[in-house]
Structure formats: structure tokens, C-alpha cells
Amino acid sequence: MSAVLGSLIAVLGTLLGSFSTYVFQQRTAARTEASARAERLRLEHLAACSGFAAAVTELKRAVVTAWLRRSDPVELGLALAEADRLGALAETARVRLQLVSGQPEPLADTAFARLDALRGAVDVTELKSHEAEFAAALAAFITAAAERLSASHRAVP
């Protein structure tokens, strides 16, 4: 009888050990998966932020080029076509950023809106002033994005 009782205790101990191992492995796997998902989202957000910053910077360059070539109709036409193409890419990058972040991006919208002022500059001094405003708006976006990305990196378990 004691041999049966000993065997029963051994079997129950083995089952309890197997079950507890299973539970701990499931928790570890779920935590690892959540951490990996959070890191993938952070990297996607980083790519969207940097893609937007690059696209809007290229658009600024094209807008300034068009402004500088406004006295030559042929050169202006080519520069405006390039600015239009880059404007579409920047708008796409802005939409992607909003989709990835899942929230409005007012600092990105501000930087994007500053480009309109560049087009309407009446002289080089005003153009440079608008360029500085654009640079400040873009820097504010980059700073806020870096802080948000850094915070999300610290939050990853």
C-alpha cells in the first residue's frame, strides 16, 4: 500500500511540475511576444518619423529651388514639377506617420504648413526667415518624436 501511495505522490508531483513549467513558459512566451511587438511598432514609428522628416526636407529644397528659378519660365516649370512630385511624397510620408502613430501629428502638420510660406516669399530675406521658421518647426517635430520614441523604448518590458 505504501508503494502505491509513494507512486501516486510521485506521479502527482511530476504532473504538478509539468503543469507549472507549462504555465511559466506560456507567460514567458507571451511577455517575449509583447516585447517584440512593441519593439516592431517602435521601429515602424521611427521609420515613419525619419521618412517624414526626410521627405519634407527634400520638399523644402525643391520649393526653394523653384523660388530661386522664378525668373526663368522653363527652369521654373521644371522646378515646380519636381516640387509637386516631392510634395506628393511628403504628403504620403505624413499620412504614413499618422497611420503608424495612430494619433494626430500637429508638429508634423506645422512643419508641413511652413512650406506654404516659403512659396509666397517676396524677397531673399523673407525666404531665409521662412526657411528658419520651417527649420524650427521641423526641429520641434524631431525633438518630440525622439522623446516619444525614447519613452516607448523604455516602456518595452
Side-chain angles (χ1 to χ4, degrees):
M1 177 76 150
S2 72
V4 172
L5 184 59
S7 295
L8 186 60
I9 291 173
V11 168
L12 288 175
T14 302
L15 288 175
L16 183 61
S18 295
F19 180 72
S20 64
T21 299
Y22 170 77
V23 169
F24 287 126
Q25 285 178 345
Q26 289 298 314
R27 286 183 183 170
T28 301
R31 219 177 346 210
T32 301
E33 183 180 334
S35 178
R37 184 179 309 116
E39 182 61 14
R40 278 193 309 272
L41 287 174
R42 190 185 78 78
L43 291 175
E44 185 68 24
H45 194 217
L46 173 63
C49 288
S50 61
F52 171 75
V56 78
T57 299
E58 279 298 304
L59 175 57
K60 187 224 27 138
R61 181 196 53 78
V63 168
V64 169
T65 299
W67 190 90
L68 292 171
R69 294 182 179 168
R70 68 190 187 283
S71 63
D72 182 347
V74 174
E75 290 292 319
L76 176 61
L78 294 172
L80 288 174
E82 176 69 358
D84 187 49
R85 183 184 72 76
L86 291 171
L89 292 175
E91 183 64 31
T92 300
R94 184 169 69 163
V95 168
R96 180 174 181 262
L97 174 64
Q98 288 177 333
L99 287 172
V100 169
S101 71
Q103 62 188 23
E105 293 286 346
L107 292 175
D109 295 340
T110 300
F112 198 84
R114 293 283 181 213
L115 293 170
D116 286 335
L118 286 168
R119 292 181 183 100
V122 295
D123 58 22
V124 174
T125 303
E126 188 176 347
L127 180 70
K128 288 184 184 290
S129 172
H130 291 316
E131 277 187 286
E133 291 170 1
F134 167 80
L138 185 58
F141 164 75
I142 290 169
T143 300
E147 288 171 0
R148 198 163 57 196
L149 287 165
S150 178
S152 69
H153 183 65
R154 286 190 302 269
V156 173

